[in-house]
Amino acid sequence: MKKNITIVLFLISLSLNSQSLFNSYEKGKITFKDGKEASGLIKISGDKIKFKKTKDDEKVKYSHKELKKIKFRFGDEFIYKTNGKSILLLNREVKGKLNLYSYEIQSPAVYTPNGMMGIGNSHTVYMIGKENSDFVEKIHHNPKNKKFKKILSRYVSDCNTFLKKIIQ
């Protein structure tokens, strides 16, 4: 019975990890820092972007030094931004004067002391940034938190109605 549970958990873990942009090439478009664009097959691999014009072409690796953004055919748009400490590849969730970005943090499956494998988990981290800025800030996941209100109030100071609602 113990073996069966371990096998089932292992298969679930494999299934969850295989359904990602990070495991296969997907159709999309890359935008270079100079504004030029190229369409083809894209794979996000760690801090590198692998790109091929066609399935049979050789892959070319790019980083934040050459690219500005990546857009996949199904709509996900990833943009390089900085939080002041590092450069992040973020998924743009909402586009406007104020943009909402996100990235996933995944923890791997681990083995417990009795030999069972625990399922890894993931959670979403949200970042906020102004329209034509490369700088983003992490926003706290709890809207009642003072830090959440402080960061958000910096970005919406020109919208008194919204500001009053979040400071209440």
Side-chain angles (χ1 to χ4, degrees), residues 21-156:
L21 294 172
F22 303 92
N23 293 323
S24 63
Y25 283 91
E26 297 288 337
K27 288 183 180 178
K29 185 188 303 182
I30 57 176
T31 303
F32 294 91
K33 287 197 172 190
D34 65 3
K36 292 180 184 175
E37 296 179 333
S39 295
L41 300 170
I42 305 165
K43 180 179 178 182
I44 299 173
S45 181
D47 62 346
K48 298 287 182 196
I49 305 302
K50 296 178 182 176
F51 177 79
K52 302 181 195 183
K53 282 249 187 218
T54 67
K55 188 174 120 179
D56 298 325
D57 285 346
E58 285 288 317
K59 68 182 174 208
V60 179
K61 291 182 184 179
Y62 294 107
S63 72
H64 65 89
K65 293 176 184 174
E66 298 95 9
L67 297 179
K68 182 178 179 180
K69 69 179 178 178
I70 301 131
K71 186 164 186 172
F72 290 95
R73 69 173 171 182
F74 47 83
D76 282 346
E77 185 176 43
F78 290 83
I79 301 172
Y80 284 105
K81 296 290 180 180
T82 182
N83 63 0
K85 297 176 186 172
S86 57
I87 295 173
L88 307 164
L89 183 61
L90 303 171
N91 186 6
R92 181 160 45 191
E93 302 279 345
V94 177
K95 182 179 180 179
K97 288 182 179 180
L98 189 60
N99 293 306
L100 180 66
Y101 302 94
S102 69
Y103 67 92
E104 292 289 320
I105 294 180
Q106 296 182 344
S107 61
V110 294
Y111 286 96
T112 61
N114 63 2
M116 297 291 291
M117 184 173 78
I119 296 177
N121 64 10
S122 69
H123 70 277
T124 304
V125 176
Y126 290 98
M127 311 283 283
I128 193 167
K130 289 188 178 178
E131 191 175 19
N132 293 309
S133 173
D134 286 332
F135 182 75
V136 292
E137 285 186 81
K138 179 180 174 183
I139 54 176
H140 199 275
H141 62 277
N142 180 0
K144 299 201 184 300
N145 182 286
K146 286 181 183 180
K147 197 169 186 178
F148 174 89
K149 292 177 182 180
K150 181 181 175 184
I151 290 171
L152 205 53
S153 66
R154 273 187 248 160
Y155 288 91
V156 296

Side-chain angles (χ1 to χ4, degrees), residues 1-7 114-116:
M1 180 68 172
K2 194 175 184 181
K3 267 187 175 179
N4 290 341
I5 292 173
T6 302
I7 291 170
N114 63 2
M116 297 291 291

Side-chain angles (χ1 to χ4, degrees), residues 150-167:
K150 181 181 175 184
I151 290 171
L152 205 53
S153 66
R154 273 187 248 160
Y155 288 91
V156 296
S157 61
D158 59 340
C159 185
N160 289 329
T161 307
F162 186 78
L163 193 56
K164 286 177 187 175
K165 293 246 184 230
I166 64 165
I167 292 180

